[in-house]
Amino acid sequence: RPPNADLQRAGAFKAVTSLANPTIKEIRALQLRKHRAETGLFLGEGVKLAADALAAGWPVRTLVVASDAIAHPFVARTAATARARGALVIEANEAVMAKISRRDNPQTVIGVFEQHIGGLEAIAAARPGIWIALEAVRDPGNLGTIVRTADALGAAGVLLVGETTDPFGLEAVRATMGSFFHVPLARASVAEFLAWRKSYRGLVVGTHLAGAVDIRSVDYREPAVLAMGNEQAGLSPEMAAACDHLVKIPMAGQADSLNLAISTGIALFEMRRGKLAL
Amino acid sequence: RPPNADLQRAGAFKAVTSLANPTIKEIRALQLRKHRAETGLFLGEGVKLAADALAAGWPVRTLVVASDAIAHPFVARTAATARARGALVIEANEAVMAKISRRDNPQTVIGVFEQHIGGLEAIAAARPGIWIALEAVRDPGNLGTIVRTADALGAAGVLLVGETTDPFGLEAVRATMGSFFHVPLARASVAEFLAWRKSYRGLVVGTHLAGAVDIRSVDYREPAVLAMGNEQAGLSPEMAAACDHLVKIPMAGQADSLNLAISTGIALFEMRRGKLAL
Ligand SMILES: [Co+2]
Ligand SMILES: [Co+2]
């Protein structure tokens, strides 16, 4: 029996108090990107996040629930729903919770979810709209915040281009505040994006510090791709060359640039001005 | 001689290899908010940050420089400038640097700077424009990112209202990316703000999920205050009641709300649309 057989056994319930428990070890290993990639699973913290996943119909493999919270009505209801959908529910003590989450004050629920991320075909498959293409994004907090922003402002999805931080890392998932389960994700290499772009019928807009065009001056339409470069270097020359418009957010101070998530938020709001209403 | 006498001795240079060195202990203690408040000092990491502080004429008390970086031209020039301005320059090994910054890969320079933050009188004293009033902001990354955004979009300053996270904490300073030294900071209690507001001649605009007005529909003028509530609760009823307009960013998705720094960025860009140019 492989050490993670418990993760495959659906709808079960068990109590665990030992850090040496093999299932707990497998769950803890999901802190590592390598292990997430091997298993196709990821961790997310908090009962609200688990409830968001279940509400969105997202596959939940395991819920680890703190012993002292398992009687809380919202926690109990969430755990029951997860079990009914075939998840394993593990009751654990605070030491185990802290070890899994690497935090002194762990959340009361930690979920193990299945990874779902498409390729460029996901763009045509999703509802039409604006995809945010993030080239080589490094900071998981920025990535998660951008996914949350994409959800709030009604973008169609988030595309990761090139080597990026892992969207399934704990910090990225945390920063999405539950929007993770509402926003389609896709990924592609730069070469794949450039090839795909040739037959894409939408508008491709990139933000660039050398952008000659004021971001407010373009007549936006959807579908579109909003291409954002990474925190240090901005868009690569190849990606910039693939854009219909290179735009710049006008600035007025001494700062070199805006934070990536802020500039993405402002750019997306600008592109969707005509579509948003209170 | 008090343990921090070295911090008072201007223009000096010394090499330190021991974590037990009293000056290093005093510097490390600046990780704690309590100790920052007692001394009126704070820490900032990175040679770029130190250079930004010196360029802005900000008082630099001490620079701790990693031994293996002290010959680097930019580091050497920055250290020389700091010494010429009366700062103590300490050369330290990597173990000491890691201990001060609480990081495995410490920056090559860590600075000790003087805190400067005004009260409400700072608003009249600064150039006219938009002050961002942050009520009870909790997250240091959000606060720092908002200071950076204020700089980039040309706000006049950032006002902290009520009990907030410490703007002089390492994480907040880090997130400003050097804009810390370009943006006037002030703080006030809610009661002080409400009293001050009665004689303020500018516009006070608050963002509020219950805001009846689309943020794009107001005719903005400066000077103004943009009041933002905290991450969990939004603006308090007292603060909301003090606003001329309660506005809302139109949204389109399933997310409950935008991240605080994102909504502040979008709101500030909206208010300054007429003033910004490429
Ligand atoms: Co949600
Ligand atoms: Co600067």
Side-chain angles (χ1 to χ4, degrees):
Chain A
R1 194 179 107 174
N4 64 347
D6 282 330
L7 269 75
Q8 323 291 345
R9 221 177 57 202
F13 175 86
K14 59 190 272 181
V16 165
T17 53
S18 164
L19 294 173
N21 178 285
T23 303
I24 297 298
K25 281 189 164 173
E26 284 291 305
I27 293 173
R28 282 184 60 199
L30 294 174
Q31 291 274 5
L32 302 175
R33 182 172 189 162
K34 177 173 171 289
H35 196 80
R36 288 194 297 271
E38 284 167 7
T39 57
L41 300 174
F42 69 100
L43 295 177
E45 299 166 312
V47 60
K48 185 184 169 299
L49 192 85
D52 275 349
L54 290 163
W58 195 282
V60 178
R61 198 67 76 87
T62 307
L63 284 192
V64 189
V65 181
S67 307
D68 51 6
I70 208 154
H72 182 289
F74 184 37
V75 173
R77 210 160 55 234
T78 302
T81 305
R83 260 183 94 177
R85 301 262 189 92
L88 167 69
V89 173
I90 297 175
E91 181 182 337
N93 61 21
E94 197 172 324
V96 170
M97 300 299 291
K99 206 78 180 181
I100 294 175
S101 70
R102 292 196 192 162
R103 290 209 202 198
D104 288 340
N105 294 305
Q107 298 260 15
T108 54
V109 172
I110 297 170
V112 178
F113 308 98
E114 290 180 15
Q115 294 186 14
H116 286 280
I117 185 165
L120 286 156
E121 79 292 342
I123 296 180
R127 68 173 172 77
I130 296 180
W131 278 72
I132 301 171
L134 299 174
E135 184 184 15
V137 57
R138 280 196 191 182
D139 183 85
N142 278 343
L143 173 51
T145 301
I146 289 168
V147 169
R148 180 180 176 189
T149 305
D151 186 13
L153 298 181
V158 174
L159 171 70
L160 303 172
V161 179
E163 291 299 315
T164 69
T165 188
D166 186 0
F168 299 105
L170 206 46
E171 200 188 330
V173 173
R174 186 186 297 146
T176 72
M177 297 290 282
S179 288
F180 193 91
F181 304 110
H182 304 147
V183 177
L185 288 184
R187 66 180 151 207
S189 68
V190 172
E192 286 166 346
F193 180 83
L194 296 177
W196 170 87
R197 190 264 170 282
K198 286 176 190 158
S199 58
Y200 177 62
R201 306 251 183 133
L203 197 66
V204 181
V205 178
T207 71
H208 204 277
L209 287 177
V213 181
D214 188 315
I215 195 167
R216 298 166 300 182
S217 70
V218 175
D219 192 17
Y220 298 105
R221 57 186 164 81
E222 300 187 4
V225 169
L226 167 61
M228 304 292 303
N230 95 338
E231 292 89 344
Q232 280 72 34
L235 280 180
S236 65
E238 310 90 279
M239 286 292 290
C243 293
D244 296 307
H245 300 282
L246 287 179
V247 298
K248 189 174 186 299
I249 296 171
M251 295 188 215
Q254 296 182 69
D256 304 300
S257 66
L258 289 161
N259 161 279
L260 175 63
I262 302 289
S263 52
T264 304
I266 291 173
L268 185 60
F269 189 70
E270 198 60 33
M271 290 179 75
R272 303 217 74 227
R273 275 184 95 75
K275 307 268 184 188
L276 295 167
L278 267 202
Chain B
R1 193 179 112 173
N4 64 346
D6 283 329
L7 271 73
Q8 324 290 344
R9 220 175 58 201
F13 175 87
K14 59 190 271 181
V16 165
T17 54
S18 164
L19 294 172
N21 179 284
T23 304
I24 297 298
K25 280 189 166 173
E26 283 292 306
I27 293 173
R28 282 185 60 200
L30 295 174
Q31 291 274 5
L32 301 176
R33 182 174 190 160
K34 178 173 171 289
H35 197 80
R36 288 194 297 271
E38 284 166 8
T39 58
L41 300 174
F42 69 100
L43 296 176
E45 299 166 312
V47 60
K48 185 186 170 296
L49 192 85
D52 275 351
L54 290 163
W58 194 282
V60 177
R61 199 65 78 85
T62 307
L63 283 192
V64 189
V65 181
S67 308
D68 51 6
I70 207 154
H72 182 289
F74 183 36
V75 172
R77 209 159 56 235
T78 303
T81 305
R83 261 183 92 177
R85 303 262 188 90
L88 168 70
V89 174
I90 297 174
E91 181 182 337
N93 60 23
E94 196 172 325
V96 170
M97 301 297 291
K99 206 77 181 183
I100 294 174
S101 70
R102 292 194 191 165
R103 288 210 203 197
D104 289 340
N105 294 303
Q107 298 261 14
T108 55
V109 173
I110 297 170
V112 178
F113 309 98
E114 291 179 15
Q115 294 186 16
H116 286 281
I117 186 164
L120 287 156
E121 78 292 342
I123 296 179
R127 69 173 172 76
I130 296 180
W131 277 73
I132 302 169
L134 299 174
E135 184 183 15
V137 55
R138 282 194 189 183
D139 183 82
N142 277 343
L143 174 51
T145 300
I146 289 169
V147 170
R148 179 180 178 190
T149 305
D151 187 13
L153 299 181
V158 174
L159 172 70
L160 303 172
V161 179
E163 291 299 316
T164 69
T165 189
D166 186 0
F168 299 106
L170 206 47
E171 200 188 329
V173 173
R174 186 185 297 147
T176 71
M177 297 290 282
S179 288
F180 193 90
F181 304 110
H182 304 147
V183 178
L185 289 184
R187 66 180 150 206
S189 68
V190 172
E192 285 166 347
F193 179 84
L194 297 177
W196 169 87
R197 191 264 170 281
K198 286 176 189 158
S199 58
Y200 176 62
R201 304 247 183 135
L203 197 66
V204 180
V205 178
T207 71
H208 205 276
L209 287 177
V213 180
D214 188 315
I215 194 167
R216 298 166 300 182
S217 70
V218 175
D219 192 16
Y220 297 105
R221 57 184 164 84
E222 299 187 5
V225 169
L226 168 60
M228 305 290 303
N230 93 341
E231 291 89 343
Q232 280 72 36
L235 280 179
S236 66
E238 310 89 280
M239 287 291 291
C243 294
D244 296 309
H245 300 281
L246 288 179
V247 299
K248 189 174 186 299
I249 296 171
M251 296 188 214
Q254 295 181 72
D256 305 301
S257 66
L258 289 159
N259 162 277
L260 176 62
I262 302 288
S263 52
T264 303
I266 291 173
L268 185 60
F269 188 71
E270 198 62 33
M271 290 179 76
R272 304 216 74 227
R273 276 185 92 76
K275 307 269 183 189
L276 296 168
L278 267 204

